[in-house]
Amino acid sequence: MSLLRNNVLIFQQTRNFSKNDFAILDGQGQQVGHVETGGSTMGRMFLGARELTVFDGPANPVIQVKDTMTLGRDRMEILDGQGNPLAGLVKRITLFKTRVSVDLMGEEIELEGDLWGFDFRVVGPLGVMATVSRQWSGMGNALLGKSTYVVQLADGMSDAQRAAVIGSVIALDLIREKQSRNS
């Protein structure tokens, strides 16, 4: 799983009315994975993307992100490639800001910073697990629904932690899309 072995991942997103797909590159610009939108086309047209799968090669899923239907707070499930639970993500509304927390098998991690601008950190009990920053991909790409952001993962994390962090970043993108569609 080369995707989970890289400390720098560049997500190049292509979004349209029914898809929210990504190419995932390593720090040298080589593609190490991709994200595909799941679910029916009709469902995606009316409800937006609710299910994303990360692949590190053809037909080799490593992470699944599923939006669970709830009233109120957004909740996402982050699963491994075989559908086993890795983490649960919850968007919490506080008085002045939005908080996103992730339960990674009993380990509480938080997404801190400018979540909607994609300039934030993923912080766990032992410190910063990852930093995420949006990069300008040009006006033409912006008009075509394409954006780029970089995820810098900390050394020493397990594959499960890395997968949960990557899944959390992708889940946040689903939440952002859902929020912009509803406003």
Side-chain angles (χ1 to χ4, degrees):
M1 288 194 262
S2 62
L3 172 73
L4 298 179
R5 301 284 176 247
N6 285 284
N7 285 346
V8 176
L9 297 172
I10 302 165
F11 287 74
Q12 294 181 329
Q13 179 182 32
T14 303
R15 182 178 24 211
N16 64 35
F17 70 95
S18 70
K19 286 191 173 191
N20 194 13
D21 295 342
F22 299 80
I24 304 173
L25 313 174
D26 65 12
Q28 290 73 45
Q30 297 296 311
Q31 186 164 346
V32 294
H34 67 281
V35 180
E36 293 180 7
T37 307
S40 71
T41 302
M42 192 63 80
R44 289 191 314 254
M45 286 175 62
F46 290 107
L47 298 173
R50 302 190 60 81
E51 193 174 308
L52 297 174
T53 303
V54 180
F55 294 86
D56 78 346
N60 188 25
V62 291
I63 306 165
Q64 299 173 42
V65 177
K66 295 186 178 187
D67 182 2
T68 56
M69 293 290 273
T70 60
L71 293 174
R73 297 188 281 206
D74 286 315
R75 294 182 183 276
M76 304 279 175
E77 291 179 290
I78 302 168
L79 312 165
D80 68 14
Q82 290 71 48
N84 300 311
L86 284 173
L89 180 140
V90 178
K91 178 179 114 178
R92 303 179 192 284
I93 305 298
T94 60
L95 188 56
F96 294 108
K97 67 179 190 170
T98 300
R99 281 188 49 226
V100 176
S101 59
V102 181
D103 180 5
L104 171 61
M105 299 176 284
E107 180 181 9
E108 188 77 19
I109 56 180
E110 296 280 333
L111 280 58
E112 299 177 346
D114 183 4
L115 302 180
W116 308 130
F118 261 72
D119 188 20
F120 63 92
R121 302 177 318 156
V122 180
V123 180
L126 300 176
V128 176
M129 299 173 78
T131 57
V132 180
S133 61
R134 181 177 298 279
Q135 293 193 337
W136 179 246
S137 57
M139 182 59 80
N141 284 333
L143 292 173
L144 293 172
K146 296 181 178 187
S147 61
T148 301
Y149 53 90
V150 176
V151 178
Q152 176 79 41
L153 297 160
D155 287 326
M157 291 193 305
S158 70
D159 284 353
Q161 289 172 318
R162 285 173 174 273
V165 167
I166 293 166
S168 297
V169 171
I170 293 168
L172 180 61
D173 202 81
L174 281 177
I175 291 171
R176 287 177 63 236
E177 179 189 340
K178 203 159 103 175
Q179 185 170 323
S180 71
R181 195 175 51 251
N182 291 337
S183 42

